[in-house]
């Protein structure tokens, strides 16, 4: 795909979104566009933050991860008044 085709495809996909999905995509796109690539981000984390990330990666590597949909579903069940 060339640049023009990518832009048209992206526009069509964004145009089909409604409500919260559109707002989420807009926020993610703005975060990506406005974000900066700072290679020092890791060094700026505390030791505790680095260790927590390493722990999470280790859990994923050992097959202990959970699907995003399952986590969200569990949280909605737990924290909504349904």
């Amino acid at each position: 795909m060339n640049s023009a085709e990518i832009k048209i495809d992206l526009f069509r996909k964004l145009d089909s979104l409604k409500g919260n999905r559109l707002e989420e995509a807009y926020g993610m796109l703005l975060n990506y566009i406005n974000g900066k690539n700072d290679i020092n981000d890791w060094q700026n984390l505390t030791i505790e933050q680095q260790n927590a990330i390493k722990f999470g990666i280790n859990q994923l590597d050992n097959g202990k991860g959970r699907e995003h949909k399952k986590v969200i579903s569990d949280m909605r069940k737990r924290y909504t008044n349904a």
Side-chain angles (χ1 to χ4, degrees), residues 1-16 29 32-33:
M1 249 193 240
N2 65 34
S3 294
E5 292 169 328
I6 292 171
K7 289 177 185 178
I8 289 170
D9 186 50
L10 184 57
F11 172 78
R12 287 182 180 146
K13 287 178 178 163
L14 288 171
D15 192 46
S16 71
L29 188 57
Y32 178 78
I33 291 169

Side-chain angles (χ1 to χ4, degrees):
M1 249 193 240
N2 65 34
S3 294
E5 292 169 328
I6 292 171
K7 289 177 185 178
I8 289 170
D9 186 50
L10 184 57
F11 172 78
R12 287 182 180 146
K13 287 178 178 163
L14 288 171
D15 192 46
S16 71
L17 297 176
K18 305 289 183 231
N20 288 344
R21 297 283 308 219
L22 179 59
E23 291 174 16
E24 289 172 7
Y26 177 70
M28 289 189 304
L29 188 57
L30 280 184
N31 286 340
Y32 178 78
I33 291 169
N34 294 329
K36 63 177 187 175
N37 264 342
D38 187 352
I39 60 172
N40 295 319
D41 283 345
W42 181 257
Q43 290 79 17
N44 292 335
L45 296 175
T46 66
I47 295 299
E48 292 82 11
Q49 291 169 324
Q50 291 178 8
N51 288 338
I53 291 169
K54 289 176 185 176
F55 179 76
I57 291 170
N58 188 41
Q59 284 184 309
L60 290 173
D61 288 344
N62 290 315
K64 296 180 182 177
R66 295 180 61 212
E67 290 184 16
H68 175 75
K69 288 180 182 181
K70 178 68 175 149
V71 172
I72 295 301
S73 174
D74 290 348
M75 291 298 108
R76 285 191 176 133
K77 287 176 188 172
R78 187 174 190 176
Y79 294 107
T80 58
N81 296 331

